[in-house]
Amino acid sequence: MNTRSPITGDDSETNVLDIAFNQDQGCFAIAHEHGFLVFNTDPLDLRVKRKFAGTSSGVGHIAMLHRTNYLALVGGGINPRYPETKLMIWDDLKRKNSLQLDFSTPVLNVLLSRTRIVVVLKNHVHVYGFSSQPHKIASYETSDNQHGLADLSVNVSYNDIDSSASTSGESSNSNDSKHEGKQQTLAFPARTAGQIHLVDVSTQGQERNVVNIIKAHKSSIRCLTLNRSGTLIASASETGTIIRIHSTRSTALLFEFRRGLDRADITSMRFSRDDSKLGVLSDKTTLHVFNINPSQQEQPDDEVKAPTNRHHLFSFLPVPVPTYFRSVWSFCSVNTNSDHPRSEENDTGVIGWSSNDSIIVVWKKKQLWERYVIGQAANGWQLTRHSWRSLAIEDVDKW
């Protein structure tokens, strides 16, 4: 899907072109036909509203750098503000572009850290130093990556100095040299379909030049995401029935989950803040949550036990059974269409966690913010829509 194309064809509406959470999922940005918006995730609160003047004002892709004043912008929509082949680093404090990078093909995705700019094209991933005059550090060839898949996690340093500090705890005025020593794990589709390329793009990582390849799926990768510590990567193929979680250090397969039987387009996946759960959303509009911290399931009887993923009844038979019956399923799920009318045209949702038990879903076409809460029920665990609010651009203008 080309996120720079209008989501709907009605020119009278302000189409949402892209939605992106920041690194700690505490904020998210919306790019639309006339500019962009930045919200606090939960409680929902409008933080920034930029509506560009003139006929050429569409922003097709947006990426945030934590809670700083820097955002990456790429033009899009009916009347793009910038060409799709240009990346702009917007300084919202000065209300102007501070950096520009030009390419020969459209920019499909951008990832930011305090010291790196990662630009994803259809067949290449380019890494630049984040400075007043960006210099290219590395370039990698990929298989056809029309969805612009990639993820970047800034995690522990090589000497385990300040290893307990998470990315979200870094202040906007931190010294860049502090972050330079941290490992910056970059993941993207490898040159062979179904494989994932892992590389450390920090200064020390480039010196060590260690590359890991994970043979994750038989068909092309459709969705991937790293956890906050950069130790785990979850992925799904174009088939969309199986989700696999691998170690980024050893490349070993740690978990294999079944989303369903029918083919699905998995559009968004995200680890919870404590890395104990994985949320998965597909074009079937069903939100699944998997437990990935089995050690927490062994707790005293007087304490609330951690969720246990579901298994098929036949999986416990003492005789060999087909692979399907040995599958591990999510411990809770919800069809979001039960909470709002199903439209004839499929919507695309983006998920983020506001706490370890609360998932935020932001919808492009519906222009809707929702919060789903995980809770115990009589027959196990359930996801319940706790709150929601319209994000229609016309409504936000009245906030």
Side-chain angles (χ1 to χ4, degrees):
M1 180 184 69
N2 185 347
T3 56
R4 264 80 40 211
S5 300
I7 301 300
T8 65
D10 185 354
D11 293 349
S12 64
E13 297 181 356
T14 301
N15 302 309
V16 170
L17 304 175
D18 191 29
I19 300 168
F21 283 85
N22 73 341
Q23 286 78 0
D24 69 357
Q25 306 174 59
C27 293
F28 66 91
I30 292 180
H32 57 80
E33 294 281 0
H34 304 294
F36 66 89
L37 304 162
V38 176
F39 294 88
N40 187 70
T41 300
D42 189 19
L44 182 67
D45 183 33
L46 179 63
R47 308 299 296 174
V48 177
K49 179 173 66 175
R50 300 291 174 251
K51 196 168 186 177
F52 297 123
T55 56
S56 299
S57 55
V59 177
H61 183 81
I62 191 166
M64 299 180 64
L65 177 60
H66 304 288
R67 292 176 180 264
T68 68
N69 50 297
Y70 292 108
L71 300 98
L73 305 180
V74 180
I78 299 173
N79 298 300
R81 179 170 177 81
Y82 319 106
E84 297 180 359
T85 56
K86 291 182 183 292
L87 166 65
M88 302 293 184
I89 300 297
W90 173 266
D91 185 341
D92 199 64
L93 187 63
K94 298 180 179 179
R95 306 285 181 90
K96 67 177 185 178
N97 297 316
S98 62
L99 300 175
Q100 175 180 321
L101 293 172
D102 297 280
F103 303 91
S104 58
T105 59
V107 176
L108 302 180
N109 194 7
V110 183
L111 306 169
L112 300 176
S113 76
R114 297 183 187 275
T115 59
R116 297 291 182 261
I117 301 172
V118 179
V119 182
V120 183
L121 310 180
K122 183 179 180 182
N123 293 108
H124 290 88
V125 172
H126 301 296
V127 182
Y128 293 83
F130 200 151
S131 58
S132 57
Q133 295 183 343
H135 58 285
K136 184 182 290 187
I137 294 173
S139 183
Y140 306 94
E141 186 178 349
T142 71
S143 56
D144 283 352
N145 186 14
Q146 61 181 343
H147 300 288
L149 303 179
D151 201 6
L152 178 66
S153 177
V154 179
N155 36 73
V156 293
S157 64
Y158 289 103
N159 297 322
D160 290 330
I161 298 174
D162 195 26
S163 60
S164 63
S166 66
T167 302
S168 62
E170 299 163 358
S171 62
S172 60
N173 61 354
S174 297
N175 192 318
D176 285 346
S177 61
K178 171 185 175 181
H179 309 287
E180 193 66 41
K182 291 190 174 183
Q183 188 168 341
Q184 301 192 41
T185 303
L186 174 62
F188 52 87
R191 287 184 292 180
T192 301
Q195 297 185 2
I196 299 173
H197 190 139
L198 295 170
V199 63
D200 180 6
V201 296
S202 68
T203 299
Q204 289 127 318
Q206 293 297 292
E207 293 173 352
R208 295 170 70 239
N209 194 28
V210 175
V211 173
N212 285 329
I213 300 294
I214 295 176
K215 297 180 180 179
H217 303 273
K218 294 181 179 179
S219 55
S220 298
I221 305 295
R222 174 58 186 90
C223 192
L224 60 82
T225 186
L226 290 162
N227 65 344
R228 291 177 66 189
S229 60
T231 58
L232 302 175
I233 182 165
S235 63
S237 71
E238 292 179 337
T239 305
T241 55
I242 297 294
I243 293 96
R244 294 189 172 101
I245 299 178
H246 289 81
S247 165
T248 59
R249 304 294 186 261
S250 67
T251 73
L253 176 63
L254 303 179
F255 301 93
E256 180 175 287
F257 301 128
R258 179 171 289 278
R259 181 211 55 82
L261 287 175
D262 299 332
R263 186 185 185 96
D265 189 14
I266 294 180
T267 56
S268 186
M269 293 195 300
R270 188 79 69 159
F271 287 94
S272 62
R273 294 187 172 190
D274 65 354
D275 294 343
S276 68
K277 305 178 187 71
L278 177 71
V280 177
L281 182 66
S282 72
D283 63 347
K284 301 290 186 182
T285 70
T286 300
L287 175 62
H288 295 268
V289 182
F290 300 89
N291 179 34
I292 56 173
N293 197 355
S295 62
Q296 289 187 355
Q297 296 180 20
E298 300 296 332
Q299 297 183 20
D301 292 337
D302 59 344
E303 293 186 15
V304 177
K305 294 183 180 297
T308 302
N309 295 315
R310 295 179 292 118
H311 296 75
H312 198 280
L313 291 175
F314 291 169
S315 65
F316 301 103
L317 291 177
V319 297
V321 294
T323 302
Y324 166 76
F325 295 114
R326 297 198 302 270
S327 298
V328 179
W329 303 72
S330 60
F331 71 86
C332 66
S333 63
V334 63
N335 189 328
T336 60
N337 282 333
S338 62
D339 293 312
H340 37 75
R342 182 181 180 88
S343 60
E344 295 182 359
E345 189 176 13
N346 287 337
D347 202 349
T348 302
V350 179
I351 63 176
W353 293 77
S354 60
S355 72
N356 294 324
D357 296 311
S358 298
I359 303 178
I360 305 300
V361 185
V362 185
W363 299 96
K364 286 185 178 179
K365 295 188 182 72
K366 299 183 186 72
Q367 299 187 15
L368 180 68
W369 172 94
E370 297 179 306
R371 180 159 71 97
Y372 287 87
V373 177
I374 301 170
Q376 285 189 294
N379 57 347
W381 297 81
Q382 65 181 12
L383 272 170
T384 305
R385 188 168 78 152
H386 187 270
S387 52
W388 59 94
R389 189 168 183 181
S390 171
L391 293 178
I393 308 304
E394 291 76 11
D395 294 340
V396 172
D397 285 342
K398 301 174 184 177
W399 285 24

